[in-house]
Amino acid sequence: MAILLADIGGTNARFRWLKNGKLGTLINYQCDDFKSPYDVIDKVLMSQSQKTRGIVLAGAGPVQKDSLIWTNHPQWKISKKEVKTFY
């Protein structure tokens, strides 16, 4: 099983898999091509045959209560509770 490392900024969403202490190849998408952070995370999860043990997420924006809201995409919001439910 692998851990998905995600750095979702205002312009780019970058991902790498961490498996057995080794980093996989960089996966990069343009944020403007997606309606939500969930859509881009799903794209990565669906395109790989990795079984996911967890997700480490960094995002470009402030955290309010348990939600992260992107500065460049204010309609984008992700919460710890939702991440646990979906992934």
Side-chain angles (χ1 to χ4, degrees):
M1 291 213 293
I3 297 171
L4 181 60
L5 307 176
D7 177 12
I8 304 176
T11 304
N12 294 292
R14 297 178 181 94
F15 301 87
R16 286 188 190 248
W17 288 98
L18 177 63
K19 186 173 182 180
N20 298 325
K22 298 189 186 221
L23 287 174
T25 304
L26 180 67
I27 303 163
N28 188 56
Y29 292 106
Q30 296 294 306
C31 291
D32 286 341
D33 293 340
F34 297 89
K35 292 181 181 178
S36 76
Y38 294 106
D39 291 341
V40 68
I41 292 169
D42 287 346
K43 173 85 173 179
V44 174
L45 292 174
M46 301 288 264
S47 67
Q48 302 293 311
S49 60
Q50 302 281 353
K51 289 195 176 186
T52 306
R53 182 173 156 208
I55 298 173
V56 176
L57 172 66
V63 175
Q64 297 173 355
K65 297 186 182 176
D66 89 331
S67 295
L68 169 65
I69 301 169
W70 273 258
T71 304
N72 288 2
H73 296 277
Q75 73 280 11
W76 281 26
K77 181 178 163 185
I78 197 167
S79 76
K80 185 167 94 174
K81 181 179 178 182
E82 289 172 339
V83 169
K84 285 183 178 182
T85 301
F86 292 117
Y87 308 108

